[in-house]
Amino acid sequence: FIEITGQPCAGKSSFIAQEVMIGKEIHIYEQTYLIKMFSFFAGIKYLGFQRTKVLLSWSLKENASLFFRINVFRNAVLKFGISQNLNTSTLESLPRCLVDEGLSHLPFLFLNTDTQQVVDFISDELRRVNVQFLKSPGYDVIQDRLVSRGHKRLKFLSVTCFAERNQEIEDILLNLYPNLCEELKVFEYVGNIR
Protein backbone atom coordinates (compact mmCIF):
# COMPACT_ATOMS: atom_id res chain seq x y z
CA PHE A 1 0.00 0.00 0.00
CA ILE A 2 0.99 3.60 -0.51
CA GLU A 3 0.31 6.44 1.90
CA ILE A 4 -0.48 9.92 0.64
CA THR A 5 0.45 12.76 2.95
CA GLY A 6 1.00 16.49 2.94
CA GLN A 7 -0.29 19.42 4.89
CA PRO A 8 -3.98 20.40 4.89
CA CYS A 9 -5.13 22.04 1.62
CA ALA A 10 -2.02 20.92 -0.29
CA GLY A 11 -4.24 19.18 -2.87
CA LYS A 12 -4.10 15.57 -1.65
CA SER A 13 -7.69 14.71 -2.63
CA SER A 14 -7.20 16.00 -6.18
CA PHE A 15 -3.86 14.22 -6.39
CA ILE A 16 -5.44 10.93 -5.29
CA ALA A 17 -8.23 11.31 -7.85
CA GLN A 18 -5.65 11.85 -10.59
CA GLU A 19 -3.62 8.81 -9.49
CA VAL A 20 -6.69 6.58 -9.58
CA MET A 21 -7.89 7.97 -12.93
CA ILE A 22 -4.54 7.39 -14.64
CA GLY A 23 -5.56 3.75 -14.95
CA LYS A 24 -2.93 2.28 -12.67
CA GLU A 25 -3.78 -0.83 -10.69
CA ILE A 26 -4.58 1.35 -7.67
CA HIS A 27 -7.67 1.81 -5.57
CA ILE A 28 -8.46 4.01 -2.58
CA TYR A 29 -8.61 2.30 0.80
CA GLU A 30 -12.23 2.75 1.86
CA GLN A 31 -12.88 3.39 5.52
CA THR A 32 -16.44 2.45 6.38
CA TYR A 33 -17.71 2.77 9.94
CA LEU A 34 -17.06 -0.94 10.62
CA ILE A 35 -13.54 -0.79 9.19
CA LYS A 36 -12.80 2.27 11.33
CA MET A 37 -14.11 0.55 14.45
CA PHE A 38 -12.12 -2.61 13.71
CA SER A 39 -9.01 -0.55 12.89
CA PHE A 40 -9.29 1.41 16.13
CA PHE A 41 -9.25 -1.77 18.23
CA ALA A 42 -6.49 -3.27 16.06
CA GLY A 43 -4.52 -0.07 16.65
CA ILE A 44 -4.99 -0.27 20.44
CA LYS A 45 -3.89 -3.92 20.41
CA TYR A 46 -0.85 -3.16 18.24
CA LEU A 47 0.24 -0.10 20.25
CA GLY A 48 -0.17 -1.57 23.72
CA PHE A 49 -0.89 0.42 26.84
CA GLN A 50 2.23 2.62 26.99
CA ARG A 51 2.22 3.80 23.38
CA THR A 52 -1.56 4.34 23.44
CA LYS A 53 -1.10 6.48 26.56
CA VAL A 54 1.49 8.61 24.74
CA LEU A 55 -0.94 9.28 21.86
CA LEU A 56 -3.66 10.19 24.34
CA SER A 57 -1.39 12.62 26.18
CA TRP A 58 -0.37 14.31 22.91
CA SER A 59 -4.02 14.53 21.82
CA LEU A 60 -5.04 16.19 25.07
CA LYS A 61 -2.36 18.88 24.58
CA GLU A 62 -4.01 20.15 21.38
CA ASN A 63 -5.73 23.56 21.36
CA ALA A 64 -9.28 22.36 20.77
CA SER A 65 -12.44 21.21 22.49
CA LEU A 66 -12.32 17.95 24.45
CA PHE A 67 -14.44 16.28 21.76
CA PHE A 68 -11.99 17.37 19.05
CA ARG A 69 -8.98 16.20 21.08
CA ILE A 70 -10.57 12.78 21.60
CA ASN A 71 -11.19 12.66 17.85
CA VAL A 72 -7.48 13.39 17.23
CA PHE A 73 -6.65 10.45 19.49
CA ARG A 74 -9.11 8.18 17.68
CA ASN A 75 -7.68 9.17 14.28
CA ALA A 76 -4.11 8.58 15.46
CA VAL A 77 -4.91 5.08 16.77
CA LEU A 78 -6.86 4.29 13.58
CA LYS A 79 -3.77 4.96 11.49
CA PHE A 80 -1.85 2.27 13.37
CA GLY A 81 -4.72 -0.20 13.01
CA ILE A 82 -5.06 0.41 9.27
CA SER A 83 -1.31 0.08 8.76
CA GLN A 84 -1.22 -3.13 10.77
CA ASN A 85 -4.17 -4.59 8.86
CA LEU A 86 -2.62 -3.79 5.48
CA ASN A 87 0.86 -4.97 6.49
CA THR A 88 -0.45 -8.34 7.63
CA SER A 89 -2.78 -8.82 4.66
CA THR A 90 -1.93 -11.84 2.50
CA LEU A 91 -4.21 -10.80 -0.36
CA GLU A 92 -1.41 -10.08 -2.81
CA SER A 93 -3.72 -10.41 -5.81
CA LEU A 94 -5.47 -7.16 -4.88
CA PRO A 95 -4.46 -3.95 -6.67
CA ARG A 96 -2.20 -1.52 -4.87
CA CYS A 97 -4.03 0.53 -2.30
CA LEU A 98 -3.81 4.28 -1.60
CA VAL A 99 -4.24 5.26 2.04
CA ASP A 100 -5.09 8.92 2.49
CA GLU A 101 -3.28 10.38 5.50
CA GLY A 102 -1.86 7.17 6.97
CA LEU A 103 0.83 6.78 9.64
CA SER A 104 3.19 9.14 7.82
CA HIS A 105 0.60 11.89 8.37
CA LEU A 106 0.67 11.57 12.16
CA PRO A 107 2.91 14.63 12.76
CA PHE A 108 0.25 16.86 11.15
CA LEU A 109 -2.24 15.72 13.82
CA PHE A 110 -0.11 16.80 16.76
CA LEU A 111 0.51 20.51 16.33
CA ASN A 112 1.44 21.05 20.00
CA THR A 113 3.94 18.19 20.20
CA ASP A 114 7.52 18.40 19.00
CA THR A 115 7.54 17.00 15.45
CA GLN A 116 10.84 15.17 15.95
CA GLN A 117 9.28 13.39 18.94
CA VAL A 118 6.31 12.25 16.82
CA VAL A 119 8.61 11.07 14.03
CA ASP A 120 10.71 9.14 16.55
CA PHE A 121 7.50 7.51 17.82
CA ILE A 122 6.63 6.17 14.34
CA SER A 123 10.15 5.60 13.00
CA ASP A 124 9.95 1.78 13.18
CA GLU A 125 6.63 1.75 11.32
CA LEU A 126 7.88 4.22 8.69
CA ARG A 127 10.51 1.69 7.60
CA ARG A 128 7.67 -0.41 6.13
CA VAL A 129 5.78 2.47 4.51
CA ASN A 130 5.83 3.77 0.94
CA VAL A 131 4.96 7.46 1.11
CA GLN A 132 3.92 9.88 -1.58
CA PHE A 133 4.33 13.36 -0.14
CA LEU A 134 2.51 16.25 -1.82
CA LYS A 135 4.43 19.45 -1.13
CA SER A 136 2.65 22.65 -0.29
CA PRO A 137 1.81 24.87 -3.28
CA GLY A 138 3.07 27.80 -1.20
CA TYR A 139 2.15 29.55 2.01
CA ASP A 140 -0.16 32.12 0.38
CA VAL A 141 -2.06 29.47 -1.60
CA ILE A 142 -2.49 27.34 1.54
CA GLN A 143 -3.80 30.32 3.51
CA ASP A 144 -6.26 31.22 0.73
CA ARG A 145 -7.52 27.64 0.54
CA LEU A 146 -7.87 27.40 4.32
CA VAL A 147 -9.97 30.57 4.32
CA SER A 148 -12.14 29.55 1.36
CA ARG A 149 -12.60 25.86 2.26
CA GLY A 150 -12.35 26.08 6.01
CA HIS A 151 -10.84 23.48 8.30
CA LYS A 152 -12.03 22.11 11.64
CA ARG A 153 -8.88 23.34 13.38
CA LEU A 154 -9.70 26.94 12.46
CA LYS A 155 -12.35 26.93 15.20
CA PHE A 156 -9.45 26.85 17.65
CA LEU A 157 -6.49 28.42 15.81
CA SER A 158 -5.97 31.42 13.57
CA VAL A 159 -5.38 30.72 9.89
CA THR A 160 -1.89 32.20 10.20
CA CYS A 161 -0.87 30.04 13.19
CA PHE A 162 -2.31 26.90 11.58
CA ALA A 163 -0.64 27.50 8.20
CA GLU A 164 2.71 28.41 9.75
CA ARG A 165 2.78 25.34 12.00
CA ASN A 166 1.86 23.00 9.13
CA GLN A 167 4.59 24.51 6.95
CA GLU A 168 7.08 23.98 9.77
CA ILE A 169 5.99 20.33 10.08
CA GLU A 170 6.27 19.83 6.31
CA ASP A 171 9.80 21.22 6.27
CA ILE A 172 10.86 18.91 9.10
CA LEU A 173 9.28 15.84 7.48
CA LEU A 174 10.85 16.51 4.08
CA ASN A 175 14.19 16.58 5.86
CA LEU A 176 13.63 13.41 7.93
CA TYR A 177 11.46 11.11 5.82
CA PRO A 178 13.97 10.32 3.05
CA ASN A 179 16.07 8.43 5.61
CA LEU A 180 13.15 6.78 7.41
CA CYS A 181 10.50 5.64 4.93
CA GLU A 182 10.81 2.44 2.93
CA GLU A 183 10.21 4.63 -0.12
CA LEU A 184 9.45 8.33 -0.41
CA LYS A 185 8.30 10.16 -3.52
CA VAL A 186 7.86 13.90 -3.23
CA PHE A 187 5.49 15.60 -5.64
CA GLU A 188 5.63 19.30 -6.36
CA TYR A 189 2.51 21.37 -6.62
CA VAL A 190 0.82 21.07 -10.01
CA GLY A 191 -1.16 24.14 -11.08
CA ASN A 192 -4.35 22.25 -11.92
CA ILE A 193 -4.67 20.60 -8.49
CA ARG A 194 -7.25 22.54 -6.54
Side-chain angles (χ1 to χ4, degrees), residues 1-6 15 99 102-105 125-134 173 177 180-187:
F1 66 98
I2 301 165
E3 292 187 0
I4 307 292
T5 193
F15 179 78
V99 177
L103 269 177
S104 58
H105 194 75
E125 287 83 11
L126 286 173
R127 287 179 174 79
R128 299 187 307 263
V129 178
N130 293 323
V131 178
Q132 294 189 354
F133 197 115
L134 187 61
L173 297 184
Y177 276 8
L180 293 175
C181 299
E182 181 177 338
E183 183 178 347
L184 175 70
K185 291 182 181 175
V186 179
F187 293 87

Side-chain angles (χ1 to χ4, degrees), residues 14-151:
S14 298
F15 179 78
I16 289 170
Q18 286 179 0
E19 286 290 292
V20 172
M21 288 177 60
I22 289 172
K24 298 178 182 174
E25 291 283 320
I26 294 177
H27 74 277
I28 300 169
Y29 182 75
E30 298 293 334
Q31 298 182 40
T32 64
Y33 176 77
L34 285 175
I35 289 174
K36 285 182 178 180
M37 192 168 68
F38 176 76
S39 296
F40 177 79
F41 289 112
I44 293 282
K45 181 180 177 188
Y46 171 78
L47 288 162
F49 178 73
Q50 290 301 324
R51 291 185 84 199
T52 300
K53 195 168 77 169
V54 169
L55 290 180
L56 181 60
S57 70
W58 290 347
S59 301
L60 294 175
K61 288 190 334 188
E62 291 302 301
N63 295 330
S65 67
L66 180 60
F67 177 79
F68 191 93
R69 288 180 279 166
I70 295 300
N71 202 35
V72 168
F73 170 70
R74 182 186 61 82
N75 284 334
V77 172
L78 268 174
K79 293 178 189 317
F80 284 91
I82 290 167
S83 178
Q84 186 64 8
N85 293 339
L86 290 172
N87 271 321
T88 58
S89 174
T90 57
L91 303 174
E92 293 181 14
S93 61
L94 288 177
R96 286 179 22 174
C97 193
L98 286 177
V99 177
D100 188 12
E101 299 183 355
L103 269 177
S104 58
H105 194 75
L106 209 66
F108 288 109
L109 287 183
F110 298 113
L111 302 181
N112 284 351
T113 300
D114 178 66
T115 302
Q116 179 69 59
Q117 193 176 0
V118 180
V119 171
D120 290 345
F121 187 84
I122 59 173
S123 62
D124 288 342
E125 287 83 11
L126 286 173
R127 287 179 174 79
R128 299 187 307 263
V129 178
N130 293 323
V131 178
Q132 294 189 354
F133 197 115
L134 187 61
K135 282 182 71 173
S136 163
Y139 181 79
D140 292 336
V141 175
I142 292 289
Q143 267 201 314
D144 290 346
R145 289 180 183 176
L146 285 168
V147 169
S148 65
R149 296 179 189 174
H151 192 281

